[in-house]
């Protein structure tokens, strides 16, 4: 299933796509509740006032240096345990929205990543439970980064959390398996990053379990799982596209 969030009658509503277009979930529905099977009203294209980011998370947990080639390209050692940091949810934007380059940085870069959307409250997952059972689905994420500020600051907060620095694809794909997907980032059609999610140093179940041992993950929370090598600078007028097999495509223009 492909789940999205739209603005209809000035209200955010979760919906899903089928062959005939979009259908609404009941107003009460949020990630973490059972997917409703009936009363799915269809939505005419003209009734969609906007597509919103499909997640409205309490937090965005990001994993740094989770692909060896990317750690090496930034002259960082390989991590021996996941390097976690948070990105402000106010950085979220949708497919097609502009990434705005802040005046405080001269080096803003793309980081295409597989995003995990959490489907169940999750704290210290018991050893006999499968972390995949806590996944609602996957999205494409661009962990946009002010690289100069990241290098200058001890904490990543500022470099990662400017408004518009977290584009997310339109749909949460609930049917795909995330463990071995091809990921590609192009800028103006030119390939910059290519990788496969199987090359993560810490894989999806390890990350979910590890993060849940440090903080409670809530339904709708987003985990950005790290980026392969090939990060590069974004300039005004560029269009940056993240494509992940079976998950979707995420394109955003870049503005001053
Ligand atoms: Mg990243």
């Amino acid at each position: 299933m492909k789940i999205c969030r739209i603005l209809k009658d000035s209200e955010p509503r979760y919906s899903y796509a089928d062959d005939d277009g979009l259908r609404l979930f009941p107003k009460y529905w949020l990630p973490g509740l059972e997917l409703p099977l009936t009363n799915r009203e269809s939505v005419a294209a003209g009734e969609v006032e906007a597509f919103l980011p499909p997640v409205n998370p309490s937090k965005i947990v990001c994993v740094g240096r989770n692909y060896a080639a990317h750690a090496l390209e930034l002259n960082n050692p390989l991590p021996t345990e996941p390097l976690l940091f948070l990105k402000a949810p106010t950085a979220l934007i949708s497919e097609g929205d502009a990434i705005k380059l802040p005046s405080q940085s001269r080096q803003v870069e793309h980081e295409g990543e597989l995003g995990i959307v959490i489907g169940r409250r999750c704290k210290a997952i018991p050893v006999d439970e499968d972390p995949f059972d806590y996944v609602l689905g996957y999205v494409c994420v661009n962990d946009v980064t002010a690289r100069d500020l990241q290098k200058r600051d001890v904490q990543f907060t500022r470099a990662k959390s400017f408004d518009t620095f977290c584009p997310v694809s339109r749909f949460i794909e609930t049917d795909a398996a995330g463990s071995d997907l091809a990921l590609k980032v192009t800028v103006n059609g030119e390939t910059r990053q290519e990788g496969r999610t199987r090359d993560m140093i810490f894989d999806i179940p390890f990350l979910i379990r590890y993060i849940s041992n440090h903080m409670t993950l809530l339904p709708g929370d987003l985990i950005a799982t790290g980026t392969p090598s090939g990060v590069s600078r974004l300039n005004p007028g560029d269009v940056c596209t993240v494509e992940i097999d079976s998950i979707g495509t995420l394109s955003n223009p870049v503005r001053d």
Side-chain angles (χ1 to χ4, degrees):
M1 180 180 278
K2 289 178 177 297
I3 298 174
C4 63
R5 218 164 122 251
I6 60 170
L7 201 61
K8 179 179 180 295
D9 301 326
S10 305
E11 262 190 314
R13 294 289 301 269
Y14 282 97
S15 315
Y16 76 102
D18 69 9
D19 293 342
D20 301 323
L22 293 181
R23 289 181 182 275
L24 288 175
F25 285 159
K27 281 189 184 180
Y28 65 80
W29 191 83
L30 291 170
L33 298 176
E34 289 293 313
L35 290 170
L37 296 172
T38 55
N39 297 326
R40 292 171 170 181
E41 179 193 335
S42 66
V43 188
E47 295 177 295
V48 180
E49 290 156 27
F51 282 93
L52 304 171
V55 288
N56 187 21
S58 75
K59 54 194 167 300
I60 303 168
V61 184
C62 301
V63 185
R65 302 170 197 165
N66 200 27
Y67 289 79
H70 172 63
L72 296 173
E73 76 178 342
L74 295 181
N75 296 315
N76 288 313
L78 297 188
T80 54
E81 60 183 340
L83 170 65
L84 303 182
F85 60 91
L86 294 173
K87 201 168 173 83
T90 42
L92 283 165
I93 57 171
S94 303
E95 157 74 21
D97 293 342
I99 297 165
K100 293 178 184 156
L101 302 177
S103 59
Q104 295 93 335
S105 171
R106 294 178 175 278
Q107 190 186 1
V108 173
E109 297 187 348
H110 54 81
E111 294 189 1
E113 309 195 4
L114 178 70
I116 305 167
V117 181
I118 294 296
R120 288 167 58 197
R121 180 186 169 93
C122 163
K123 179 176 171 62
I125 299 174
V127 286
D128 59 345
E129 288 194 21
D130 182 356
F132 281 118
D133 291 344
Y134 291 83
V135 175
L136 174 63
Y138 299 95
V139 289
C140 306
V141 177
N142 194 342
D143 174 22
V144 179
T145 302
R147 192 72 66 205
D148 48 353
L149 303 185
Q150 185 190 28
K151 287 177 182 161
R152 198 185 308 163
D153 294 354
V154 175
Q155 300 282 339
F156 292 178
T157 308
R158 179 168 69 137
K160 297 284 189 174
S161 292
F162 284 100
D163 291 356
T164 77
F165 270 27
C166 194
V168 174
S169 52
R170 183 167 289 176
F171 295 101
I172 303 169
E173 177 54 71
T174 65
D175 295 330
S179 296
D180 185 20
L181 299 174
L183 184 159
K184 183 162 94 165
V185 177
T186 61
V187 176
N188 308 326
E190 182 184 301
T191 300
R192 300 282 174 88
Q193 294 188 264
E194 270 187 301
R196 293 199 72 90
T197 57
R198 69 166 178 239
D199 293 328
M200 290 180 194
I201 297 172
F202 303 104
D203 65 15
I204 291 169
F206 186 95
L207 288 174
I208 297 170
R209 190 180 289 285
Y210 182 88
I211 295 167
S212 84
N213 284 336
H214 291 79
M215 65 189 88
T216 301
L217 289 165
L218 298 179
D221 279 355
L222 178 62
I223 300 172
T225 55
T227 202
S229 62
V231 297
S232 68
R233 186 178 306 208
L234 293 169
N235 295 299
D238 286 346
V239 175
C240 184
T241 302
V242 180
E243 293 175 56
I244 305 179
D245 276 357
S246 310
I247 306 300
T249 300
L250 167 65
S251 271
N252 300 90
V254 180
R255 305 257 184 273
D256 247 334

